[in-house]
Amino acid sequence: FYGIYFGFLAAMLAYNLFLWGAVRDRAYLWYVAYVAALALLQGKLAGYADRWLWPETPALANPVNLLAIAAVLAGGAQFTKAFLGGAAKGARGRIAAVQIAIALAAALLPVSYALATRAVLLVAMAVIVVLVAAMVQAYRNNYRPARFILIAFAALAPGGVAMILRTLGVLGPEIPADRIFDAATALEALLLSFALADRINAMEAERRRAEAALGSLERRFYGALLDAQESERRRMAGELHDSVGQNLVVIGNRLRAIPAEPGPRAAALSELVTVNRETLDQVRGLAQGLVIGLHRDGSERERAAGGAAPGAPAGEVLGGIRRDDERQLVDAPLDAQLVGGRAGRLEELIHQGT
């Protein structure tokens, strides 16, 4: 029986130690420490530890027995704290308090082994109450993995209580408390391993939800940024058409109203009218290009968002849109240079005419 039992615990240790090396989650490491302390305690109770680990020093039998119990309690408390994380914030202080109580009880060993043993076993009762309360709190806070750890400790409770009562002399030898404890610890180790796997799945699901929320936030941010850019383009197009364009129309009408007299002034006046008309065409073309660009950007934005894979990062969804905007920002100065050149030529001709 014990060959199968210790082989099972060794398999759980090796498997979860490998997983800790892969995921670097502290809960796995504390699980390994807890199961290792449990295996030491069971080996001590079964007599294998005394026979194989320290056969020449029987004086270690009682101290190791007490320290193994304290290690199981402290490791179980630390594992529970790491496993539940922030799902049971209020319980973290209580768990730390019972861990201090375990250390103080074990510190009584140099004074009296019997006194220290009773103190550790009494603290064990408090540890069970505090840990179960923390698990229930996490479960009520909708922490899904807490249900597995609750079931695991519920499986351990009968065996643990039976062993404590046996040690305190409440139960007689006719009740097989040791076998109950063996079966309970093996079942608990298995269920805790399932709980860790479920915890990893829950953390992965939470990570995906966080990424989806971040992607949605980025899309809203870039959408607002593009809306602001489009609003600025509309304003620029309106000013070009309504202000600069109308001023050029007025200038053209005044130039055409000036009587054309033969000579250099007539040639300069004709060129002024031509340059004014070409500048007006350039301004109107620039304003129209801004408006057309707005419609084109809206269509491309819809295609980019519609063709993106579900859950794709907002940067990928809007990357093409931003590249289009960058190209337009590069092209826009060229149109502005053309208009500026026409305006400069117009000013030069006016000075010549005067």
Side-chain angles (χ1 to χ4, degrees):
F1 171 80
Y2 280 111
I4 298 174
Y5 176 79
F6 286 112
F8 175 77
L9 291 185
M12 289 292 99
L13 279 172
Y15 173 69
N16 286 279
L17 187 61
F18 171 78
L19 290 179
W20 171 76
V23 301
R24 294 294 175 177
D25 186 348
R26 286 184 300 173
Y28 279 96
L29 188 61
W30 286 116
Y31 171 86
V32 170
Y34 169 70
V35 175
L38 185 62
L40 176 62
L41 175 62
Q42 289 292 82
K44 180 66 181 65
L45 294 176
Y48 293 110
D50 294 335
R51 183 185 305 174
W52 298 105
L53 297 181
W54 43 82
E56 303 299 330
T57 53
L60 291 177
N62 287 339
V64 171
N65 191 34
L66 179 65
L67 294 176
I69 295 173
V72 168
L73 295 174
Q78 188 63 33
F79 165 75
T80 304
K81 186 163 63 173
F83 182 89
L84 297 180
K89 292 182 180 179
R92 296 178 69 87
R94 293 190 292 272
I95 294 176
V98 295
Q99 288 176 311
I100 294 173
I102 294 167
L104 293 176
L108 295 174
L109 179 60
V111 178
S112 170
Y113 171 75
L115 178 61
T117 300
R118 287 186 174 273
V120 168
L121 294 178
L122 289 175
V123 171
M125 295 290 192
V127 170
I128 293 173
V129 172
V130 169
L131 296 186
V132 171
M135 297 169 201
V136 171
Q137 179 186 353
Y139 183 74
R140 287 180 176 176
N141 290 338
N142 296 321
Y143 186 59
R144 189 185 70 178
R147 70 184 190 276
F148 271 114
I149 195 172
L150 266 173
I151 296 172
F153 274 86
L156 177 66
V161 171
M163 285 297 295
I164 292 173
L165 295 178
R166 165 74 71 81
T167 305
L168 293 174
V170 177
L171 294 180
E174 67 277 2
I175 298 178
D178 51 350
R179 294 299 186 186
I180 296 174
F181 187 65
D182 293 341
T185 52
L187 181 59
E188 184 214 22
L190 179 63
L191 291 174
L192 288 180
S193 184
F194 288 159
L196 284 170
D198 187 61
R199 180 173 179 268
I200 293 298
N201 293 334
M203 291 171 62
E204 179 64 21
E206 183 65 25
R207 183 188 65 80
R208 288 196 295 267
R209 285 193 294 269
E211 286 182 350
L214 179 61
S216 177
L217 184 63
E218 287 182 349
R219 289 184 184 89
R220 289 198 298 270
F221 169 75
Y222 285 119
L225 187 63
L226 292 173
D227 288 342
Q229 188 180 44
E230 289 178 359
S231 177
E232 181 64 17
R233 288 182 181 178
R234 290 191 182 94
R235 185 190 65 78
M236 292 173 60
E239 288 185 359
L240 285 172
H241 181 272
D242 298 335
S243 180
V244 179
Q246 293 301 324
N247 289 340
L248 289 173
V249 169
V250 172
I251 292 174
N253 291 336
R254 294 292 179 87
L255 289 174
R256 282 190 289 271
I258 297 175
E261 299 179 357
R265 285 180 173 271
L269 182 62
S270 176
E271 189 172 359
L272 278 172
V273 172
T274 302
V275 171
N276 175 266
R277 183 175 63 253
E278 292 176 352
T279 304
L280 179 60
D281 292 340
Q282 287 287 341
V283 169
R284 286 174 175 171
L286 183 58
Q288 185 178 10
L290 287 172
V291 174
I292 293 175
L294 289 174
H295 295 297
R296 185 191 65 196
D297 288 350
S299 301
E300 292 181 353
R301 194 170 301 129
E302 291 177 0
R303 287 197 302 270
E316 295 180 8
V317 174
L318 299 173
I321 298 173
R322 291 201 299 271
R323 285 192 292 271
D324 269 350
D325 292 336
E326 291 169 359
R327 283 196 297 271
Q328 289 181 7
L329 291 175
V330 171
D331 295 341
L334 299 178
D335 294 333
Q337 290 174 10
L338 291 174
V339 174
R342 296 291 183 182
R345 178 60 177 161
L346 181 62
E347 183 180 0
E348 180 184 347
L349 290 172
I350 290 175
H351 283 300
Q352 290 177 3
T354 59

